[in-house]
């Protein structure tokens, strides 16, 4: 029997990104459903606990425990403070403003990385990176349309979430130089379960889930891990110049979800601003990939 050839890398990456888009959208819908009963700290506590159970089970089944070390406790803690803060702001934002607006502002995280990397990672801010960031921030102004009427706490929360995610990305990059993915995920879910429990319990009142709400807790926990796993898998197959445009499919998908489930209007300003944010992200990745290939050819020559 003739062997069936494997699908091309771009198609496999597209399939993984389809999973990521579905997972991110599911997490947003589940987060809104949970917000009727829980505050954002409680949502994060239950989300992280479900993720922790999944990571522990998978690590035990695959022997991943060997990759969990205690080398960088301080860096793990700092990374998760930023991620925990960003994720709480994200869950708050999805209850305050249209989902498409939240996702558009979230896409600015890579541009915040460009701006903050010189201070955090010691990387150089090149003219092309500066142009990419400028395009993205013009996009932010179009999406947010800051004015006394349009600038809301939800918009500020979504923008703050993007900054928190950017700091998380940079510290994750530092961690992955020495730590395995299983190690990073284990400390992420463990520390954020404890942070969620601490913050949710400050007022002495932690809401317990009802039977009806348990499926949504399962969705928000599983979808969070699945989204990042699918995104990482896509990046391992295809270049970022392929994956990033596919990731932006989240915006029209979540806009349709918001319109269908919550009667949210399709805002052309959000799409126009998101197009500039996408242009800034793509320009930066294209230029960096081009420079990397040029350096390889120079070494080979």
């Amino acid at each position: 029997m003739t062997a069936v050839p494997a699908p091309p890398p771009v198609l496999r990456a597209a399939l993984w990104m389809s999973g990521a888009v579905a997972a991110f959208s599911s997490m947003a819908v589940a987060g809104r459903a949970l917000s009727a009963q829980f505050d954002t700290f409680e949502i994060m506590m239950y989300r992280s606990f479900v993720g922790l159970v999944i990571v522990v089970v998978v690590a035990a089944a695959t022997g991943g425990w060997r990759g969990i070390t205690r080398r960088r406790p301080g860096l793990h803690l700092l990374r998760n403070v930023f991620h925990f803060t960003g994720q709480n702001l994200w869950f708050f934002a999805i209850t305050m403003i249209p989902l498409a607006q939240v996702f558009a502002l979230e896409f600015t995280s890579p541009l915040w990385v460009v701006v903050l990397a010189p201070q955090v990672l010691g990387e150089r801010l090149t003219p092309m990176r500066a142009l990419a960031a400028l395009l993205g921030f013009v996009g932010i102004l179009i999406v947010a349309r800051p004015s006394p009427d349009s600038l809301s706490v939800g918009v500020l929360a979504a923008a703050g979430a993007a900054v928190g995610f950017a700091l998380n990305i940079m510290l994750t990059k530092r961690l992955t130089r020495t730590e395995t993915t299983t190690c990073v995920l284990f400390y992420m879910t463990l520390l954020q379960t404890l942070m969620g429990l601490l913050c949710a319990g400050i007022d002495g009142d932690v809401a317990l889930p009802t039977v009806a709400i348990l499926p949504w807790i399962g969705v928000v926990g599983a979808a969070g891990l699945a989204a990042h796993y699918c995104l990482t898998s896509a990046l391992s197959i295809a270049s970022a110049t392929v994956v990033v445009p596919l990731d932006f499919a989240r915006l029209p998908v979540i806009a349709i979800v918001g319109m269908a489930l919550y009667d949210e209007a399709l805002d052309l300003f959000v799409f126009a601003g998101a197009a500039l944010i996408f242009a800034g992200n793509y320009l930066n990745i294209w230029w960096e990939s081009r420079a990397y290939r040029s350096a390889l050819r120079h070494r080979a020559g």
Side-chain angles (χ1 to χ4, degrees), residues 21-287:
V21 169
F24 279 121
S25 301
S26 299
M27 188 167 65
V29 172
R32 275 206 175 174
L34 291 171
S35 67
Q37 183 171 338
F38 303 120
D39 60 35
T40 58
F41 293 134
E42 291 165 341
I43 294 173
M44 279 298 295
M45 178 186 70
Y46 288 120
R47 172 189 182 274
S48 300
F49 179 71
V50 171
L52 178 61
V53 171
I54 294 172
V55 170
V56 168
V57 169
V58 172
T62 62
W65 284 117
R66 292 187 295 272
I68 299 175
T69 71
R70 289 178 287 180
R71 281 189 293 251
R72 314 291 293 277
L75 195 56
H76 280 292
L77 178 61
L78 183 61
R79 170 194 177 260
N80 282 289
V81 166
F82 288 128
H83 186 267
F84 182 80
T85 302
Q87 195 68 71
N88 271 284
L89 289 171
W90 188 87
F91 276 123
F92 176 74
I94 63 174
T95 68
M96 301 296 293
I97 59 177
L99 295 178
Q101 197 171 19
V102 175
F103 276 47
L105 291 169
E106 182 189 350
F107 284 133
T108 63
S109 288
L111 301 173
W112 283 109
V113 171
V114 169
V115 173
L116 297 173
Q119 288 74 39
V120 178
L121 298 175
E123 296 181 355
R124 191 164 59 95
L125 181 62
T126 64
M128 189 58 71
R129 290 175 179 175
L131 175 60
L134 179 62
L135 281 173
F137 292 124
V138 172
I140 292 175
L141 293 177
I142 295 174
V143 171
R145 299 191 299 283
S147 72
D149 296 326
S150 62
L151 189 61
S152 66
V153 65
V155 169
L156 294 176
V163 177
F165 292 153
L167 290 165
N168 166 65
I169 289 168
M170 288 183 286
L171 294 176
T172 301
K173 183 176 179 179
R174 288 178 59 180
L175 277 170
T176 53
R177 292 170 183 169
T178 59
E179 310 303 312
T180 65
T181 301
T182 301
C183 181
V184 173
L185 288 176
F186 172 75
Y187 282 110
M188 180 188 80
T189 52
L190 174 63
L191 289 172
Q192 293 190 28
T193 297
L194 296 176
M195 290 176 189
L197 180 61
L198 177 64
C199 294
I202 284 178
D203 60 0
D205 181 22
V206 177
L208 298 176
T210 61
V211 173
I213 209 74
L214 279 175
W216 289 118
I217 292 177
V219 170
V220 81
L225 278 181
H228 291 289
Y229 183 81
C230 289
L231 184 58
T232 302
S233 298
L235 285 168
S236 71
I237 295 169
S239 68
T241 53
V242 172
V243 172
V244 167
L246 294 171
D247 191 30
F248 267 77
R250 275 198 275 155
L251 185 59
V253 168
I254 202 64
I256 293 169
V257 170
M259 181 178 64
L261 297 183
Y262 310 112
D263 293 324
E264 295 176 356
L266 295 178
D267 190 335
L268 294 180
F269 282 101
V270 170
F271 282 90
L276 277 178
I277 294 169
F278 166 78
N281 275 318
Y282 192 80
L283 177 64
N284 181 54
I285 293 170
W286 172 81
W287 183 261

